[in-house]
Amino acid sequence: MTGHFIPDSLPTQLQHYIDGAWVDSAGGERFNVLDPVSNSNYATAAAGQKADIDRAVEAATRAFREGPWPEMKARERARVLNRIADAVEGREDRLAELETFDTGLPITQARGQARRAAENFRFFADLVVAQFDDAMKVPGAQINYVNRKPVGVAGLITPWNTPFMLESWKLAPALAAGCTVVLKPAEFTPLSASLWAGIFEEAGLPRGVFNLVNGLGEEAGDALVKHPGVPLISFTGETTTGQTIFANAAPNLKGLSMELGGKSPCVVFADADLDAAVDSALFGVFSLNGERCTAGSRILVERSIYGEFCEKFAARARNIVVGDPHDPRTEVGALVHPEHYAKVMKYVAIGKSEGRLLAGGGRPAGLETGNYVSPTVFADVRPNARIFQEEIFGPVVAITPFADDAGALALANGVKYGLAAYVWTNDLTRAHTFAQGLEAGMVWLNSHNVRDLRTPFGGVKASGLGHEGGFRSLDFYTEQQAVHITLGHVDTPKFGAAK
Ligand code: NAD
């Protein structure tokens, strides 16, 4: 690889940010951070341990109990959130360049992440101002109302795919609700999270409201999940990690929001606009390097158009530009880390015995180093195949034919996951009927993944627990206390009054 782009002023010693100050781990522990193009250690990051989580939770607790943040009027908090959005937008180029360098995401797609992150803050700023709660009257007897309160210190644990944007998806509603936070970003990609401190300082977020602890999941993440002073955990990551966190959160009965893995179907009926479906199916699985929880990684195609679809899809897949993530022409960059690269390559090898290889199948010619995988397409994949059932999280897709609606639905639902589903048909009745039967948290009809931030976001089955999005996110980060007021006389049974 020649001309490997290295951002200016690249930080090489990443630290925690606790109570408004950059600090190392109390015990001095560090871990190595690689970039996915050269796979060299460009930085080390402080590896948070229990003592560091304790320190961060202490600061967040103080900011919650004593600070102005939870008590501020919604409008005042919203002003800060809007300034955060401005500060994120002001760093769009820097953010995109750091994110691309650290994750291997193509630069054009990393730019979109910065804009989405800013939008998340604007959206929750609007929402918190517009929020109102119920008051209920029982004529002549009671008035009851909801007193909404931020829950306390929120633990936020995030993955390495689109790290900054996914951090914003938790930070924005948690802060809007009045919580204080401890963020534990993914260890593969800690670089962009280091921008948050400057953004929050610039926007005037009070000290101690935001705390960042870097580190490994089994150390820093684990300590955050088990900390008795953290009443809720919002987690995005693998299903197996979610299961571990679920168990570890049980002794303290924490509130949990879990966005987990997926193996989402893209179902193409013969009556669909075929070219639009091909465009969308390609984008759905190969954008963000295929490292996307909602990727349409199983394409189910009606038998009568199966041959034509496979041919068109594979021809386009073979033509996708794979290369240096910083090159604006690149459509698929480098996978995040050599460990993840090895996992994806293992599935590519498995796929060769489970399906008919139509495109890709390994490292692209001319890219001898770095975590590059050619967009890989397997056709005729049976539903019991591992590449049909298991989340690969890379640019690898399985295509399977179906005969009729019932067969398509059985295939679509025949995996343990249930995050997203995409359906292509021009038959209105079929589209809605089929959507009703899908075991998926989110369905797109004749579209790829275009989010409306007001809608529920989350999965069913092994893809998640709880839904965020819109007011649901604020519900997660707040308690709704019911206050009951008696009107007039209260009629109480008179215990102990018998003569
Ligand atoms: P991961 O589960 O390995 O790690 C996610 C985070 O959890 C990291 O910060 C990690 O350090 C931490 N962690 C790991 N073990 C922990 C433990 N025992 N206790 C506490 N924290 C722990 O996931 P990943 O590989 O970073 O991300 C990819 C996965 O995330 C994929 O499965 C993908 O589908 C999923 N994902 C889901 C969504 C969604 O919204 N449903 C969005 C993005 C990614």
Side-chain angles (χ1 to χ4, degrees):
M1 187 80 226
T2 52
H4 174 37
F5 175 85
I6 299 177
D8 289 338
S9 321
L10 188 65
T12 55
Q13 300 278 314
L14 301 172
Q15 293 180 294
H16 312 306
Y17 180 80
I18 298 176
D19 207 13
W22 291 106
V23 292
D24 285 319
S25 288
E29 296 86 350
R30 302 194 76 76
F31 65 96
N32 290 328
V33 189
L34 309 184
D35 81 85
V37 170
S38 73
N39 279 326
S40 56
N41 278 346
Y42 74 84
T44 64
Q49 310 292 312
K50 184 177 175 306
D52 306 299
I53 289 290
D54 286 349
R55 200 153 42 130
V57 174
E58 211 175 284
T61 305
R62 205 176 318 117
F64 188 75
R65 294 215 177 118
E66 299 166 16
W69 189 250
E71 303 296 330
M72 270 162 75
K73 292 198 172 74
R75 170 62 74 197
E76 287 176 50
R77 275 209 298 269
R79 283 203 185 97
V80 178
L81 296 173
N82 277 314
R83 288 200 297 268
I84 292 170
D86 294 341
V88 169
E89 280 164 356
R91 286 164 175 77
E92 181 179 330
D93 289 345
R94 177 67 172 165
L95 177 57
E97 128 188 323
L98 293 184
E99 201 75 315
T100 292
F101 180 77
D102 205 20
T103 66
L105 279 184
I107 185 78
T108 49
Q109 298 170 38
R111 282 232 161 73
Q113 301 305 311
R115 288 190 289 267
R116 268 288 304 278
E119 182 55 28
N120 285 337
F121 282 94
R122 293 206 194 286
F123 174 77
F124 284 106
D126 290 345
L127 216 57
V128 80
V129 171
Q131 186 169 39
F132 60 91
D133 283 303
D134 294 330
M136 289 141 285
K137 183 174 168 187
V138 185
Q142 270 185 331
I143 291 177
N144 310 318
Y145 67 88
V146 173
N147 173 32
R148 190 181 286 268
K149 309 192 261 195
V151 175
V153 178
L156 313 178
I157 303 179
T158 49
W160 48 257
N161 68 319
T162 62
F164 190 86
M165 196 284 285
L166 285 175
E167 288 152 18
S168 76
W169 178 240
K170 297 187 189 304
L171 287 165
L175 296 176
C179 288
T180 61
V181 304
V182 177
L183 169 67
K184 206 303 280 171
E187 56 267 46
F188 281 178
T189 55
L191 185 56
S192 56
S194 64
L195 293 177
W196 284 119
I199 289 167
F200 291 142
E201 283 174 13
E202 192 175 310
L205 190 74
R207 195 174 70 130
V209 172
F210 166 77
N211 301 275
L212 165 78
V213 178
N214 283 302
L216 309 185
E218 298 72 15
E219 297 173 355
D222 185 68
L224 188 55
V225 167
K226 291 178 178 164
H227 198 295
V230 178
L232 78 177
I233 298 285
S234 178
F235 169 75
T236 300
E238 280 188 30
T239 297
T240 49
T241 314
Q243 288 167 323
T244 304
I245 290 177
F246 195 88
N248 289 341
N252 286 306
L253 290 172
K254 299 197 176 200
L256 292 173
S257 170
M258 299 230 165
E259 310 285 6
L260 308 176
K263 191 75 184 178
S264 302
C266 171
V267 184
V268 185
F269 285 96
D271 63 24
D273 176 338
L274 189 60
D275 290 335
V278 168
D279 284 344
S280 176
L282 282 158
F283 182 80
V285 71
F286 296 129
S287 57
L288 307 179
N289 298 344
E291 298 163 321
R292 178 175 198 146
C293 55
T294 52
S297 52
R298 298 179 295 140
I299 304 181
L300 313 176
V301 185
E302 190 162 358
R303 177 81 67 189
S304 61
I305 56 159
Y306 184 68
E308 187 186 357
F309 181 93
C310 288
E311 209 172 288
K312 285 190 168 179
F313 187 90
R316 289 272 297 279
R318 286 191 286 266
N319 206 32
I320 286 175
V321 181
V322 184
D324 182 350
H326 290 279
D327 184 334
R329 288 166 303 182
T330 292
E331 293 171 307
V332 169
L335 301 194
V336 69
H337 191 275
E339 273 171 31
H340 183 60
Y341 180 76
K343 174 186 155 184
V344 173
M345 282 303 214
K346 183 191 79 183
Y347 277 108
V348 170
I350 291 170
K352 288 178 182 168
S353 64
E354 290 186 331
R356 181 162 56 93
L357 182 67
L358 295 185
R363 180 180 279 285
L367 293 169
E368 306 313 330
T369 59
N371 306 323
Y372 295 105
V373 181
S374 294
T376 296
V377 182
F378 292 108
D380 310 345
V381 179
R382 291 176 185 284
N384 60 357
R386 288 188 63 188
I387 61 164
F388 190 95
Q389 292 291 333
E390 298 173 21
E391 185 183 45
I392 301 173
F393 219 57
V396 181
V397 67
I399 313 185
T400 303
F402 66 83
D404 54 21
D405 294 44
L409 193 62
L411 285 173
N413 291 342
V415 296
K416 71 176 181 176
Y417 296 106
L419 191 56
Y422 309 88
V423 182
W424 286 85
T425 173
N426 277 326
D427 180 330
L428 189 65
T429 305
R430 163 184 274 162
H432 289 287
T433 307
F434 198 83
Q436 310 268 308
L438 281 166
E439 294 166 2
M442 297 167 284
V443 178
W444 277 269
L445 302 177
N446 297 327
S447 173
H448 61 277
N449 175 342
V450 180
R451 279 275 292 139
D452 174 337
L453 297 181
R454 295 169 299 181
T455 58
F457 184 92
V460 298
K461 296 166 42 180
S463 289
L465 189 70
H467 283 75
E468 296 205 30
F471 286 110
R472 294 160 205 82
S473 300
L474 296 180
D475 284 347
F476 176 68
Y477 292 105
T478 51
E479 302 286 8
Q480 296 180 57
Q481 181 186 53
V483 180
H484 307 83
I485 308 156
T486 297
L487 295 178
H489 173 72
V490 61
D491 188 15
T492 312
K494 294 192 182 311
F495 274 41
K499 297 258 163 48

